[in-house]
Amino acid sequence: MSFSEDVKREISQKRFLLQGAMSPEREFLCNAFLETGSMSNPEKGYHLEFVCETKDRAQSILDALQKFGIEAKTVKRKRYTVVYIKESEDIVELLNVMGAHVCLMNLENVRILKDMRNSINRQVNCETANISKTVSAANKQIEDIRYIREHYGFDNLSENLREAAEARLKYPDDTLKELGERLVPPVGKSGINHRLRKLGELADSVRRTSNTHA
């Protein structure tokens, strides 16, 4: 059974239980949805609509929705005017207005799961980007250090820079924190980053000098 059919079945049951107790606007929206309404599976997307044969009918639905603070839009589809709702919060509110509370809870569960999946995906993407950035930086550091070793010589480096250079070549996959902890005495992330940046600047300087003499 589709989500639309679930909503309509629940609306029909609620109308039967609340005969004469619903406001005219609620009754109108319930009837309108039962007659020409439909709702997509929230797993695939948020979309609820009323297919109206006349503009007046569409306007009446818009007016009724507005009384409950529900935002909706219209679009022409062949000879019909379609009133549609895309925002999940507005769809939730309409389900509440029409008394489809079980379907409302099902929709909320879907929204929660979607938000969790999206949050996890964003976190994974962020971590992947950070890893890629770290690997790229480490590769550039190794390239600079090898250039220095071949064209400048480690013997010409200060002790601090030589230790940092040798550690980076020996542990190419280390993070800055891990690399700093391997030195004796250990240095913090900012300390090892400073040394590697100095090595990068030296490598650029040696390259410029080599190009000038070439």
Side-chain angles (χ1 to χ4, degrees):
M1 186 173 289
S2 70
F3 204 86
S4 287
E5 291 170 337
D6 289 341
V7 174
K8 289 183 177 181
R9 185 180 69 253
E10 192 174 0
I11 291 173
S12 296
Q13 293 170 347
K14 192 59 62 72
R15 284 178 68 224
F16 178 77
L17 294 173
L18 298 177
Q19 283 182 356
M22 298 178 73
S23 68
E25 290 83 8
R26 287 179 187 269
E27 185 79 30
F28 173 73
L29 289 172
C30 286
N31 289 335
F33 190 84
L34 290 173
E35 291 169 8
T36 64
S38 65
M39 180 176 168
S40 64
N41 184 339
E43 288 278 3
K44 299 178 180 178
Y46 304 121
H47 184 88
L48 185 150
E49 67 179 35
F50 302 84
V51 179
C52 307
E53 293 195 356
T54 65
K55 289 183 179 180
D56 289 342
R57 175 68 169 176
Q59 189 59 53
S60 296
I61 292 174
L62 285 172
D63 292 342
L65 291 171
Q66 190 63 47
K67 288 182 181 295
F68 296 99
I70 299 171
E71 294 294 327
K73 296 181 180 180
T74 61
V75 64
K76 288 292 292 183
R77 188 184 297 160
K78 295 183 179 178
R79 66 184 183 87
Y80 300 102
T81 300
V82 178
V83 177
Y84 68 93
I85 304 171
K86 282 284 190 184
E87 295 298 325
S88 58
E89 292 83 359
D90 288 317
I91 294 175
V92 165
E93 181 58 30
L94 178 56
L95 293 177
N96 181 52
V97 167
M98 296 188 300
H101 299 120
V102 174
C103 291
L104 185 158
M105 291 305 299
N106 291 337
L107 172 58
E108 288 286 35
N109 288 336
V110 170
R111 289 177 67 195
I112 291 170
L113 289 173
K114 275 188 172 182
D115 288 344
M116 287 178 61
R117 284 197 295 265
N118 290 338
S119 177
I120 290 170
N121 286 338
R122 283 194 297 270
Q123 185 175 352
V124 169
N125 290 338
C126 182
E127 289 176 355
T128 301
N130 288 337
I131 290 171
S132 177
K133 185 178 178 181
T134 299
V135 170
S136 178
N139 288 338
K140 177 64 167 61
Q141 292 160 5
I142 291 169
E143 179 185 323
D144 288 341
I145 291 167
R146 285 175 176 167
Y147 190 87
I148 290 170
R149 183 176 60 186
E150 294 172 12
H151 297 87
Y152 186 79
F154 280 3
D155 291 341
N156 293 317
L157 296 175
S158 66
E159 184 177 353
N160 285 348
L161 291 185
R162 186 176 68 255
E163 287 178 347
E166 291 172 344
R168 174 47 88 199
L169 289 180
K170 188 174 181 180
Y171 305 103
D173 297 328
D174 273 10
T175 64
L176 291 177
K177 184 175 182 295
E178 292 167 340
L179 199 63
E181 291 172 350
R182 292 186 186 278
L183 301 184
V184 181
V187 300
K189 181 178 177 180
S190 61
I192 188 67
N193 187 50
H194 174 74
R195 296 185 191 186
L196 292 171
R197 188 168 65 250
K198 285 291 186 182
L199 287 166
E201 292 171 356
L202 175 59
D204 289 340
S205 176
V206 174
R207 288 188 184 97
R208 285 195 297 271
T209 302
S210 298
N211 290 336
T212 300
H213 294 323

